[in-house]
Amino acid sequence: FVNNNDEHNLLIDAIDRGGDTDTSASIALGLAHISDEYEHNLSEKLQEEFKTTEPQYERLKNVNYELDKTFIPEYPQFLKTI
């Protein structure tokens, strides 16, 4: 996953690798989303479709907000070390 610099190709890479793709894509995209080193280019259509098909979208949005609020100040420095 370190060979990517944008979310779109990171997602494709996670799917191409096979195995537990939903978990690996979720973790990789979550880290990429909070990194300034990745281009945030997942398509709007994909994001909108998720909003309409994921029954727990609002709960996930709130969890994401709390995680961002807690960890974003430290994550850019952490990501530079790995």
Side-chain angles (χ1 to χ4, degrees), residues 6 15 25 30 37 52-53 57 62 81:
D6 66 84
I15 294 167
E37 297 178 21
T52 60
T53 60
Y57 174 74
N62 291 333
T81 65

Side-chain angles (χ1 to χ4, degrees), residues 31-78:
L31 290 171
H33 180 72
I34 61 171
S35 172
D36 293 333
E37 297 178 21
Y38 278 81
E39 180 183 349
H40 306 294
N41 63 346
L42 286 179
S43 74
E44 288 293 320
K45 182 178 180 187
L46 179 64
Q47 294 178 42
E48 287 303 315
E49 186 172 326
F50 178 77
K51 288 178 186 178
T52 60
T53 60
E54 173 54 51
Q56 299 207 23
Y57 174 74
E58 286 301 319
R59 183 186 68 81
L60 293 171
K61 190 168 77 171
N62 291 333
V63 167
N64 184 61
Y65 172 76
E66 291 301 319
L67 288 171
D68 283 353
K69 188 170 70 170
T70 303
F71 292 108
I72 280 188
E74 288 116 5
Y75 264 106
Q77 292 298 340
F78 169 72

